Amino acid sequence: MTNGRTKIGIIGCGDVLDMYMSSSLAFPTIEVAALVDNDPVNLKARSDQFGIPGMNLDTLLSRDDVEFLVNLTPPAAHAEISERAFAAGKHVYSEKPLGVTLEEAKRIVDSARKYGCKLAGAPDTLLGAAHRKCRQLLGDGAIGEIVSASAVFMTHGMEHWHPAPKNYFQPGGGPVFDIGPYYIAALVCMLGPLRSVSAISSTGFAERTVTAHGRNHGQVIQVGTPTTYHALLEFSSGVTASLSMSWDVWHHGRGAPIEIYGTEGTLVVPDPNMFGGTAIVRDRNGHETPFDSSQSLLGAPHWKVKDKYKLDREIVLTNYRMAGAADLIDAVRTDREPFTSPTLVLHVLDAMESILVSARERHPVTLSTADVSLPRMPSEEDIARIVGN
Ligand SMILES: NC(=O)c1ccc[n+]([C@@H]2O[C@H](COP(=O)([O-])OP(=O)(O)OC[C@H]3O[C@@H](n4cnc5c(N)ncnc54)[C@H](O)[C@@H]3O)[C@@H](O)[C@H]2O)c1
């Protein structure tokens, strides 16, 4: 730490790096001090783009002034990178999924423990203003007793916006592993641990042609993993929910990504892939009360980008992707578990893997982590400290 700023190193300078770099501006206590990528041409381009030194992993791991690493490599590389980081005594925030299987992810958690390092993992959107508000509303009984829920993510996939989408259509990819973490983590943080899942899957398109700009434009991808899943979820509390995740849908008429149904009304939950938005409570008579989160910490829209789904349109996102790393730094400083703790991340990954197993083997699956005791959720004071206020 110099001048009150904590130096971090980022490994993996692909598509998601822009999100992290833009978000880092919202965390004045964080300084991105090093970039690593195993593609030297890309590393040079990204290093020039952001004016941050590029280096190889060994050099980064040997630097005493960088204690915290953010792992933005593709999922198949997460384990090797995170384990090498722990062996060098670094704390790691990892993008999702933590590992490509629950078993691999558990090994990563054990490795962190062995070397006395802290580990946190995506998604960190649960730290966002809108999701804090939703949990507060549920806790305050705004919709009475929770009965059930439904969650829907249905788009046409990655090939029209991601410059390198191939791996997302292979085993280890697919909508449940890619986007499921946001939805499942949001549900679990609102409704508690999951007990069991039951799912079916299908593949809508055997091939995908990359239409995103860049080096892979025109590439034809043979799809190697199901791209539509419908799952039934049973929570330990007795609450039941449905979850649909698909990359085979051009358009749908479903308004909200997540709805929670209670004895007194419905809570409409904003996009769990983002930090902000307006939660809405609808009472028994359909009267709506909106809860705008744009004035709250990690709730103000700040990042103007092209809409991934309608490229001719610009949107302003509430995308504080560096929040998880800031939480990890605060967790080390205050000697606590990060809010995106290994316990939560492993439970969410267990749910994701169980959905795939259930769909493949055609039977309900009880989660091996069903009896997990989930960590507490952050208070407003925690968030203020994490963002450096
Ligand atoms: N792209 C998104 O919108 C998005 C959003 C949220 C989370 N994520 C997550 O972020 C991670 C990265 O996704 P992405 O879309 O940026 O991927 P990407 O394929 O665009 O980029 C990955 C980068 O990592 C580099 N890399 C691969 N193996 C490496 C290694 N062993 N050492 C160093 N560098 C290595 C590659 O050269 C590439 O530049 C994934 O875990 C993904 O799930 C992506």
Side-chain angles (χ1 to χ4, degrees):
M1 185 156 81
T2 48
N3 304 327
R5 297 178 81 196
T6 302
K7 291 185 178 178
I8 67 165
I10 294 184
I11 305 145
C13 302
D15 184 69
V16 79
L17 180 68
D18 296 282
M19 261 184 225
Y20 276 81
M21 292 309 301
S22 122
S23 166
S24 70
L25 302 175
F27 297 91
T29 53
I30 291 181
E31 176 188 343
V32 181
L35 296 177
V36 171
D37 197 287
N38 65 358
D39 173 344
V41 176
N42 184 47
L43 179 61
K44 166 92 176 64
R46 300 301 243 165
S47 167
D48 291 349
Q49 179 186 354
F50 294 111
I52 296 170
M55 59 196 66
N56 65 36
L57 184 59
D58 286 330
T59 306
L60 175 58
L61 295 181
S62 68
R63 278 183 60 167
D64 291 336
D65 60 333
V66 183
E67 273 181 275
F68 297 90
L69 302 184
V70 174
N71 186 351
L72 303 185
T73 58
H78 285 176
E80 190 205 334
I81 300 288
S82 295
E83 287 175 359
R84 285 186 64 190
F86 299 137
K90 311 294 184 195
H91 308 287
V92 173
Y93 179 79
S94 172
E95 255 304 339
K96 47 77 189 166
L98 185 59
V100 289
T101 61
L102 181 61
E103 198 185 320
E104 184 179 81
K106 282 181 177 163
R107 208 183 69 211
I108 296 170
V109 173
D110 287 345
S111 168
R113 214 171 278 135
K114 174 176 163 192
Y115 290 105
C117 297
K118 284 205 193 290
L119 165 65
D124 53 359
T125 42
L126 58 97
L127 302 171
H131 306 292
R132 302 198 310 274
K133 187 70 197 174
C134 287
R135 292 192 296 268
Q136 185 217 316
L137 287 166
L138 293 174
D140 290 349
I143 60 166
E145 205 173 307
I146 300 168
V147 177
S148 75
S150 71
V152 168
F153 172 85
M154 294 194 289
T155 70
H156 200 74
M158 321 276 295
E159 72 275 22
H160 56 295
W161 66 266
H162 196 290
K166 189 173 173 194
N167 288 339
Y168 287 95
F169 291 102
Q170 309 309 327
V176 171
F177 259 63
D178 181 51
I179 208 84
Y182 304 105
Y183 284 70
I184 296 169
L187 287 170
V188 160
C189 290
M190 289 187 286
L191 306 177
L194 268 161
R195 185 187 294 150
S196 72
V197 302
S198 192
I200 51 174
S201 67
S202 56
T203 304
F205 298 80
E207 287 185 342
R208 302 274 172 154
T209 302
V210 180
T211 54
H213 296 298
R215 64 190 187 283
N216 295 307
H217 184 86
Q219 180 189 44
V220 177
I221 298 168
Q222 301 302 320
V223 176
T225 191
T227 41
T228 290
Y229 283 86
H230 297 287
L232 301 175
L233 313 178
E234 181 195 24
F235 290 83
S236 299
S237 61
V239 169
T240 54
S242 64
L243 170 72
S244 292
M245 313 232 75
S246 178
W247 284 339
D248 295 330
V249 175
W250 287 114
H251 307 284
H252 64 85
R254 162 81 186 229
I258 299 180
E259 293 180 343
I260 312 287
Y261 309 115
T263 50
E264 302 302 323
T266 294
L267 174 66
V268 179
V269 179
D271 185 354
N273 192 5
M274 292 293 142
F275 289 70
T278 300
I280 299 170
V281 171
R282 285 203 188 102
D283 70 13
R284 288 178 171 210
N285 302 315
H287 175 75
E288 287 192 354
T289 310
F291 296 89
D292 170 34
S293 63
S294 64
Q295 303 301 311
S296 304
L297 292 172
L298 303 183
H302 65 111
W303 189 36
K304 196 188 250 190
V305 278
K306 278 194 173 153
D307 186 341
K308 285 184 167 178
Y309 300 105
K310 292 186 183 136
L311 290 174
D312 54 346
R313 196 174 74 154
E314 278 204 327
I315 47 176
V316 186
L317 297 176
T318 312
N319 198 345
Y320 294 95
R321 272 323 197 271
M322 200 60 99
D327 172 34
L328 174 68
I329 293 167
D330 183 66
V332 170
R333 304 261 181 268
T334 59
D335 194 22
R336 62 169 174 84
E337 274 300 277
F339 292 111
T340 63
S341 67
T343 308
L344 175 64
V345 170
L346 287 181
H347 184 60
V348 171
L349 184 48
D350 188 7
M352 288 151 53
E353 195 168 87
S354 298
I355 288 171
L356 266 60
V357 171
S358 172
R360 196 172 55 235
E361 299 181 2
R362 294 180 168 269
H363 59 77
V365 174
T366 300
L367 273 66
S368 61
T369 59
D371 59 358
V372 69
S373 178
L374 291 172
R376 76 172 175 91
M377 287 288 106
S379 64
E380 294 305 302
E381 292 71 33
D382 290 318
I383 297 295
R385 210 180 48 250
I386 288 167
V387 301
N389 274 18

